[in-house]
């Protein structure tokens, strides 16, 4: 054993120095190998001799030869240095194909609906042993990330938690979604015509108002919200079957189409630009810093990033007109 019971405090540098000395059988060469001076290496050899109670290297003419104890320690010292190198080196990359994990994600229904098919496709191709558990926005994300109940939060990150890591993924703007044949599609949309329509709002907390109401109030306009629903998908379904107007996130001008509008497309909704100065909506992901360097979690974040930034065919909303895309 390298550790002597009478001198239990030994730093890792001693093991590295011992390995160099026993490999080179020379104080000068061992010093050059470790980029130190021969004098410093000579002092280290003296310390090792005291700890191990053995001369280790002795003079034999113009060279130094190892003692029997040194020869017995040579392989052990090399193994210790290899172990130290593995212990203190950066974590090796994870092979996604070898993963066998379940990740818990928390996301709004619209984000989850857009994300899940692409995420499952990526997992099937790259990490078939991975499965996902999606939760609605039911938990306080900061504490849930901290205690491990969720691995990743995806959506509009609105909690301020100093320890949480946040990455912005896409910036969107809100557009109006209406059924085919809705009266808003017959003429250009003005703030007054938009405000006069029947509206469905989406709020987990049951709120009737939001940023769009502040923008309308600045023009002395007010909309009437007939119903508040907790789900964007439910609001879009209602809009597809009635004259209610709902809001959905769409890509900013000049950006690729947002996958978050895919469900609106499948429901046959028409997307109309809202002629009001509205704040952009940022979709991001948040995680606890203990997962930052974890290989499996890095794959997860990369997969979410690619899934939400996926592009598709179609045109953009603009100039108060209907989308050019044939919905």
């Amino acid at each position: 054993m390298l550790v002597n019971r009478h001198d239990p405090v030994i730093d890792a540098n001693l093991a590295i120095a011992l390995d160099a000395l026993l490999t080179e059988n020379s104080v000068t060469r061992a010093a050059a190998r470790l980029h130190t001076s021969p004098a410093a290496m000579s002092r280290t050899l003296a310390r090792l001799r005291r700890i191990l109670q053995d001369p280790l290297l002795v003079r034999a003419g113009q060279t130094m030869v190892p003692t029997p104890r040194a020869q017995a320690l040579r392989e052990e010292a090399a193994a210790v240095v290899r172990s130290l190198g593995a212990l203190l080196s950066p974590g090796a990359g994870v092979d996604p194909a070898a993963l066998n994990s379940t990740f818990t994600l928390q996301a709004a229904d619209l984000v989850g609906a857009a994300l899940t098919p692409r995420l499952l496709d990526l997992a099937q191709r790259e990490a078939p042993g991975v499965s996902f558990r999606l939760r609605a926005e039911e938990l306080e994300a900061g504490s849930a990330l901290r205690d491990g109940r969720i691995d990743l939060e995806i959506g509009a990150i609105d909690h301020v938690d100093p320890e949480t890591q946040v990455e912005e993924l896409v910036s969107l703007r809100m557009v109006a979604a209406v059924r085919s044949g809705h009266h808003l599609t017959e003429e250009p949309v003005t703030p007054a015509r938009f405000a006069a329509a029947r509206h469905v709002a989406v709020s987990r907390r049951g709120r009737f108002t939001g940023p769009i109401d502040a923008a309308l109030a600045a023009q002395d306009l007010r909309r009437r919200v007939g119903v508040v629903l907790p789900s964007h998908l439910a609001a879009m379904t209602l809009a597809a079957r009635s004259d209610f107007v709902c809001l959905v996130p769409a890509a900013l001008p000049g950006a690729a189409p947002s996958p978050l509008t895919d469900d609106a497309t499948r429901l046959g909704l028409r997307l109309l630009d809202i002629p009001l100065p509205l704040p952009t909506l940022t979709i991001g992901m948040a995680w606890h810093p203990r997962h930052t360097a974890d290989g499996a979690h890095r794959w997860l974040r990369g997969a979410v990033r690619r899934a939400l930034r996926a592009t598709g065919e179609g045109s953009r909303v603009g100039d108060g007109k209907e989308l050019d895309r044939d919905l």
Side-chain angles (χ1 to χ4, degrees):
M1 296 294 291
L2 296 181
V3 178
N4 187 291
R5 69 181 63 187
H6 301 297
D7 192 356
V9 181
I10 302 178
D11 62 45
N13 289 327
L14 283 179
I16 296 171
L18 179 63
D19 175 56
L21 286 164
L22 299 186
T23 300
E24 301 293 343
N25 287 337
S26 164
V27 170
T28 301
R29 291 195 299 271
R33 177 172 176 169
L34 298 183
H35 306 288
T36 189
S37 67
M41 183 57 68
S42 181
R43 289 192 296 271
T44 301
L45 175 58
R47 185 180 175 191
L48 285 167
R49 284 168 168 167
R50 289 194 302 271
I51 292 170
L52 297 173
Q53 300 179 14
D54 188 271
L56 297 175
L57 295 175
V58 296
R59 182 68 59 183
Q62 298 300 313
T63 63
M64 299 190 78
V65 296
T67 65
R69 177 79 189 281
Q71 290 177 326
L73 289 174
R74 181 176 288 149
E75 288 302 319
E76 187 176 354
V80 168
V81 171
R82 287 194 298 269
S83 297
L84 285 171
L87 177 66
L88 300 177
S89 64
V94 169
D95 178 10
L99 290 177
N100 185 16
S101 306
T102 297
F103 294 111
T104 300
L105 315 179
Q106 179 162 291
D109 64 327
L110 190 60
V111 175
L115 173 69
T116 303
R118 291 172 170 81
L119 198 55
L120 289 174
D121 181 62
L122 284 170
Q124 180 62 32
R125 289 187 280 112
E126 299 176 10
V130 164
S131 55
F132 304 96
R133 179 188 298 111
L134 267 74
R135 305 188 67 151
E137 296 176 295
E138 56 188 325
L139 300 175
E140 186 66 35
S143 59
L145 289 168
R146 188 182 306 115
D147 61 27
R149 284 176 291 165
I150 59 177
D151 297 301
L152 200 64
E153 177 193 9
I154 308 161
I157 311 299
D158 57 3
H159 57 88
V160 180
D161 193 343
E163 73 206 48
T164 301
Q165 300 291 305
V166 179
E167 178 183 335
E168 295 183 356
L169 297 172
V170 291
S171 292
L172 307 166
R173 63 171 174 164
M174 302 306 292
V175 299
V178 298
R179 66 171 178 81
S180 180
H182 192 282
H183 66 85
L184 284 181
T185 66
E186 297 170 357
E187 299 177 26
V189 178
T190 64
R193 293 189 69 229
F194 175 77
R198 302 169 69 200
H199 291 265
V200 52
V202 177
S203 172
R204 289 184 295 119
R205 299 178 177 89
R207 295 173 179 169
F208 278 77
T209 60
I212 198 162
D213 298 283
L216 285 169
Q219 302 194 29
D220 294 324
L221 295 170
R222 181 179 178 182
R223 65 173 180 158
R224 181 180 181 276
V225 176
V227 60
V228 179
L229 297 176
S231 160
H232 282 92
L233 294 178
M236 288 192 296
T237 301
L238 175 62
R241 298 176 180 176
S242 69
D243 283 334
F244 277 95
V245 179
C246 73
L247 303 180
V248 298
L252 293 171
S258 168
L260 297 178
T261 58
D262 287 353
D263 288 289
T265 302
R266 282 189 284 270
L267 287 168
L269 290 168
R270 295 182 180 273
L271 304 184
L272 308 175
D273 184 66
I274 303 170
L276 293 167
L278 298 175
T280 57
L281 173 67
T282 299
I283 301 297
M285 57 182 171
W287 66 94
H288 194 274
R290 71 174 176 274
H291 294 308
T292 298
D294 178 68
H297 203 275
R298 290 178 66 182
W299 176 86
L300 171 65
R301 299 195 304 271
V304 169
R305 189 182 300 117
R306 285 179 287 156
L308 280 184
R309 289 177 179 170
T311 61
E313 299 294 326
S315 302
R316 300 182 295 277
V317 177
D319 302 328
K321 299 180 180 179
E322 186 178 338
L323 271 176
D324 294 333
R325 181 190 301 173
D326 183 9
L327 296 178

